[in-house]
Amino acid sequence: MGSKDSDQSLPEVGEAPLIIDVEFLEEEDETLAQSLDSIEEVSFSRPRSAMELPPSLPTPQGRARVVTVINQKGGVGKTTTVINIAAQIALRGFRVLVIDSDSQGNCATGLGVDKSKVKNTTRDLILSPETAVDSRHATAVENLHIIVGDRSLIGLEQEMMRQLGREKRMKEALQPLLAHYDLVLIDTPPSLGLVTINALVASDGVLVPVQTEYFALEGLALLSGTIREVRSLLNERLGVDGVLLTMHSQTLLNKQVAGEVLENFPDLVVRPAIRRNVRLAEAPSHGIPIHLHDPSSPGGKDYQDIATELQHRWSL
Ligand SMILES: Nc1ncnc2c1ncn2[C@@H]1O[C@H](COP(=O)(O)OP(=O)(O)OP(=O)(O)O)[C@@H](O)[C@H]1O
Ligand SMILES: [Mg+2]
């Protein structure tokens, strides 16, 4: 049925404002330096609207810091960051627990744990919190334990819908473990489901890996909204421990995006940017983190420097 409204024609496409974030330049400038200091000198066409990423609070005395590594955008380096930061911090003598809340289960593979031999997983941790202590497994790295994620996490959200207090299951399950660790690092899938919300409710802070490519800021805007909602409804302590620039190389686009992230969050960006380095991509196929595979590679060095800065921020 034709209405009066339907007669009103939309504006011509040509009249719609064209909004461009970053100029796309195909040419790579190999002479540009890697350092973030030079990144900050790159200028941008327009200022961004303010995005809120609240800083986090210190860890309460006598228990582990709980940190979720999150970005709803896929393939940005979340799992690589969990494996290598956890391993670095453990190598320095701190007790670290990794919880893999992603059904892809890549943390286990990257830390030399055979998923097929594991009895209890993150699914059990969430559904039966009393299994928490027995759900941990040793890894290829001393001081580093893991609660494995696997395909059994698929479908868990449906089951959880029937449960009371469903957003707080992981937080409750972790309580008996916290006094036994210095750091709990949670890997998340590239989606915002109930399991990811459980991780955010259980956490003191989040680490946000950001690939310095087009759409990076859009991913951060999405996350900013998620954190705002979790803070207002479920965990008012939640804040951001750091933003990590990942898979960074010397293209002008990488530098422009890194510059935009720095411009928006000067205090949250953890230096240095993690360079794109094939040794980081190879290490999981050997079941070991970069510090056992090739510690002197660019990726190995960058994750060591990032771990040092995070150790400071987490007061470890
Ligand atoms: N700095 C790097 N240099 C080169 N390759 C990298 C680097 N960081 C990660 N990778 C590779 O990029 C791919 C995606 O990384 P990763 O799995 O860590 O991302 P993710 O955010 O966990 O992905 P998903 O959203 O699917 O969980 C992997 O093959 C990984 O080995
Ligand atoms: Mg992952």
Side-chain angles (χ1 to χ4, degrees):
M1 194 174 77
S3 71
K4 199 167 171 235
D5 283 345
S6 67
D7 293 339
Q8 291 175 351
S9 60
L10 288 168
E12 289 297 320
V13 172
E15 292 169 25
L18 179 62
I19 300 167
I20 298 175
D21 285 349
V22 179
E23 269 179 61
F24 224 107
L25 295 168
E26 288 184 354
E27 228 174 273
E28 292 185 9
D29 185 349
E30 293 299 336
T31 61
L32 288 172
Q34 186 73 45
S35 89
L36 287 181
D37 296 334
S38 68
I39 287 171
E40 282 168 311
E41 287 161 18
V42 178
S43 61
F44 298 93
S45 50
R46 63 178 180 78
R48 286 260 175 189
S49 59
M51 237 190 294
E52 195 204 0
L53 286 182
S56 54
L57 299 169
T59 317
Q61 277 284 319
R63 70 153 174 88
R65 182 159 196 86
V66 184
V67 179
T68 290
V69 177
I70 187 170
N71 189 333
Q72 286 149 259
K73 198 163 163 4
V76 296
K78 294 181 288 293
T79 302
T80 305
T81 295
V82 167
I83 291 170
N84 292 302
I85 295 297
Q88 267 302 317
I89 299 285
L91 180 73
R92 297 173 189 190
F94 297 99
R95 301 157 303 169
V96 182
L97 174 65
V98 163
I99 300 176
D100 190 352
S101 69
D102 186 358
S103 62
Q104 298 177 89
N106 293 335
C107 288
T109 317
L111 289 168
V113 174
D114 182 353
K115 273 182 284 185
S116 66
K117 300 210 170 98
V118 163
K119 194 164 155 269
N120 290 339
T121 65
T122 303
R123 180 180 194 277
D124 300 290
L125 177 81
I126 291 175
L127 284 183
S128 318
E130 69 280 3
T131 64
V133 173
D134 297 328
S135 298
R136 300 164 303 153
H137 299 274
T139 68
V141 183
E142 204 180 338
N143 297 324
L144 175 52
H145 296 162
I146 184 172
I147 299 180
V148 169
D150 68 356
R151 291 173 52 80
S152 72
L153 282 164
I154 300 170
L156 174 62
E157 314 219 331
Q158 286 286 337
E159 288 178 58
M160 287 170 77
M161 291 310 283
R162 292 190 293 270
Q163 296 193 322
L164 283 177
R166 52 187 170 263
E167 296 95 353
K168 299 184 176 166
R169 308 286 293 190
M170 189 184 284
K171 182 183 170 78
E172 282 161 19
L174 286 183
Q175 291 312 312
L177 300 180
L178 292 184
H180 303 281
Y181 291 94
D182 300 298
L183 175 67
V184 176
L185 214 47
I186 308 173
D187 192 18
T188 54
S191 59
L192 184 66
L194 204 40
V195 177
T196 303
I197 297 289
N198 262 266
L200 293 175
V201 171
S203 293
D204 300 299
V206 299
L207 270 185
V208 191
V210 171
Q211 190 178 350
T212 51
E213 295 284 353
Y214 207 65
F215 294 135
L217 266 285
E218 279 69 10
L220 280 173
L222 201 62
L223 185 66
S224 158
T226 301
I227 291 176
R228 197 170 32 240
E229 280 182 44
V230 171
R231 274 171 65 97
S232 68
L233 296 170
L234 295 161
N235 178 9
E236 62 185 17
R237 279 183 54 83
L238 186 69
V240 179
D241 285 351
V243 172
L244 309 182
L245 303 173
T246 63
M247 292 182 239
H248 191 66
S249 35
Q250 298 187 18
T251 68
L252 197 48
L253 175 65
N254 283 161
K255 287 174 71 79
Q256 284 184 311
V257 174
E260 283 218 350
V261 177
L262 274 162
E263 191 183 4
N264 279 273
F265 309 107
D267 299 329
L268 289 179
V269 173
V270 183
R271 292 156 194 256
I274 299 150
R275 286 168 280 185
R276 181 177 284 283
N277 178 217
V278 71
R279 305 300 263 170
L280 283 168
E282 284 167 7
S285 66
H286 300 280
I288 48 177
I290 192 69
H291 88 264
L292 294 177
H293 180 57
D294 189 352
S296 59
S297 61
K301 286 191 181 135
D302 292 340
Y303 271 110
Q304 281 167 46
D305 292 344
I306 293 279
T308 302
E309 170 61 19
L310 290 176
Q311 197 181 324
H312 173 70
R313 289 190 186 193
W314 291 329
S315 303
L316 294 177

